[in-house]
Amino acid sequence: MTAALPDIAAQLHPHAQPLDWVGMQGIALPIQLLGHTLAAKVDAGVSLDTPGVRGIHMSRLYLALEALSEQPLDVPALRAVLQQFLDDHQGMAQRAFIRLHGEVLLKRPALVSPLAGWRAYPVSIAAELGANGLQLSLTLEIGYSSTCPCSAALARQLIQQQFAGDFAGKSLDHADISAWLGSAEGIVATPHSQRSTATLQLQLAPTLSTLPIAQLLDSAEQALGTALQTAVKRADEQAFALANGQNLMFCEDAARRLHNALENHPALLGFALTVVHAESLHAHDAVARSRWQAPL
C-alpha cells in the first residue's frame, strides 16, 4: 500500500498572516488571439486571506490555465478561469488574478503599393475577480513616426535663405526653380523625425465579451497618422515622407490626439497614456502623459 504523500502547504501555521498575492509568474502558455497563436507568459495568483494557512495550491492554478489555451481568448474565458482559481481555494482566497503578456501580430498594408507585412504589438491583459466583480485592464504599445514642428520651421527658413542666395539678382525661370528644388542644393536642410512610442493603459468595461484589441490599435494609429510601416516600395516611402511632412507633432500633440480618440470610447472606463518621442536631436527623450476616467 502506497503511503499518502505529505501536503506541507495545507498545514496550519500559527504565525502565518494574510498575503495580498500568492502565485506564479512567467508561465509559458499558447494563447489564441486575433486569429493567431500567441506565445504568452502568464502570471497567475490568488490572495491568501485566511490567517494560519501556510500556502496555496499552485499546481491547481497551473492546471486551470490550460483552459485558456483551448479556445480563443475572450472575457468569459478569463472570468471562468479566475472563478476556478477561487473555487479551488475556497476558505483561503477572496481574489484571483491573471496577467498575460506577449506580442500580437497584425498584417498591415503599405501606404500605396499592394505590399503588406506583419507588425508586432506588445500587449498585456490583466484580470482580477473578487468582491467587486471582474476588473479588466489592457496595455498596448504602438510605434509611430513623429516629425518635430520646430525643426521643420527651421529647415524651411534655411531653404528660403538658400533660395535667396542662389537666385539673387537672377530672373526667375520656372524650369530653373524646378530643377533647383530637386537638387541637393535646393533642399539644404531637413527636419528631424524620430521613432516614437505610445503606451496605452486601458481600463476595460467588465461587460465586454470580446477584447477590442484590434479596434483600439486601429483607433490609436489613425489618430497618430504616421504608424510604422512594414514592407514598402519607393512609392510607399515617398507617401510616408509626405505623411510626416503634413503631420508635424510635438509629444504634446500626440498625447492630445490619443486622448481625444480614446475618451468616451464605449469599451473603456478609463485610461492612462504615455507618449515618448525618442529625440534624434537630443540624447534625452520628450514625454507627455494624460489620464481620463469615465464619470460615475
Side-chain angles (χ1 to χ4, degrees):
M1 181 176 179
T2 303
L5 299 177
D7 187 358
I8 303 301
Q11 297 176 359
L12 295 180
H13 192 288
H15 303 297
Q17 65 183 40
L19 297 171
D20 292 332
W21 193 97
V22 181
M24 297 166 287
Q25 66 180 22
I27 302 168
L29 191 70
I31 296 294
Q32 300 175 46
L33 197 59
L34 301 181
H36 302 281
T37 299
L38 167 68
K41 291 296 181 71
V42 182
D43 306 336
V46 294
S47 60
L48 184 52
D49 299 294
T50 304
V53 174
R54 189 172 187 182
I56 68 165
H57 306 295
M58 292 199 184
S59 61
R60 297 183 186 181
L61 299 181
Y62 188 96
L63 295 173
L65 287 173
E66 186 66 24
L68 292 180
S69 67
E70 297 170 348
Q71 58 186 312
L73 184 68
D74 57 17
V75 177
L78 287 168
R79 184 190 292 272
V81 171
L82 289 169
Q83 187 60 58
Q84 186 64 52
F85 286 2
L86 293 176
D87 292 345
D88 288 340
H89 293 84
Q90 286 187 9
M92 298 168 59
Q94 298 178 11
R95 292 172 295 145
F97 314 90
I98 290 177
R99 180 176 177 267
L100 304 96
H101 42 100
E103 289 186 336
V104 296
L105 288 170
L106 290 177
K107 199 163 193 178
R108 296 305 203 189
L111 293 175
V112 177
S113 74
L115 297 181
W118 294 97
R119 283 279 311 281
Y121 297 87
V123 60
S124 176
I125 302 163
E128 175 183 338
L129 184 63
N132 295 324
L134 182 66
Q135 298 180 51
L136 286 171
S137 65
L138 173 67
T139 301
L140 301 173
E141 187 176 304
I142 303 167
Y144 62 101
S145 176
S146 61
T147 300
C148 174
C150 182
S151 72
L154 295 172
R156 288 194 299 267
Q157 183 185 52
L158 289 173
I159 293 170
Q160 286 178 318
Q161 293 173 359
Q162 185 72 24
F163 179 86
D166 289 351
F167 286 89
K170 298 179 181 179
S171 60
L172 297 181
D173 180 80
H174 181 274
D176 290 341
I177 294 173
S178 179
W180 182 87
L181 288 171
S183 69
E185 292 77 14
I187 307 301
V188 69
T190 59
H192 69 263
S193 298
Q194 51 258 324
R195 185 184 294 179
S196 305
T197 304
T199 301
L200 313 178
Q201 296 174 293
L202 309 166
Q203 183 183 357
L204 301 180
T207 53
L208 293 174
S209 176
T210 59
L211 297 164
I213 295 173
Q215 298 93 320
L216 289 165
L217 286 171
D218 288 343
S219 295
E221 290 192 338
Q222 289 169 10
L224 292 167
T226 46
L228 299 181
Q229 300 298 296
T230 57
V232 296
K233 291 186 175 181
R234 282 179 293 175
D236 302 306
E237 189 172 355
Q238 186 179 57
F240 190 65
L242 179 63
N244 270 277
Q246 297 180 340
N247 191 39
L248 308 176
M249 57 180 158
F250 294 118
C251 62
E252 296 93 333
D253 300 319
R256 288 174 176 135
R257 291 185 191 186
L258 289 169
H259 188 112
N260 292 335
L262 297 173
E263 188 178 17
N264 299 318
H265 192 289
L268 302 182
L269 299 179
F271 61 74
L273 65 89
T274 300
V275 299
V276 177
H277 287 190
E279 292 257 3
S280 59
L281 171 65
H282 301 290
H284 55 264
D285 299 336
V287 180
R289 296 187 176 95
S290 185
R291 292 179 179 272
W292 173 79
Q293 195 68 39
L296 298 176

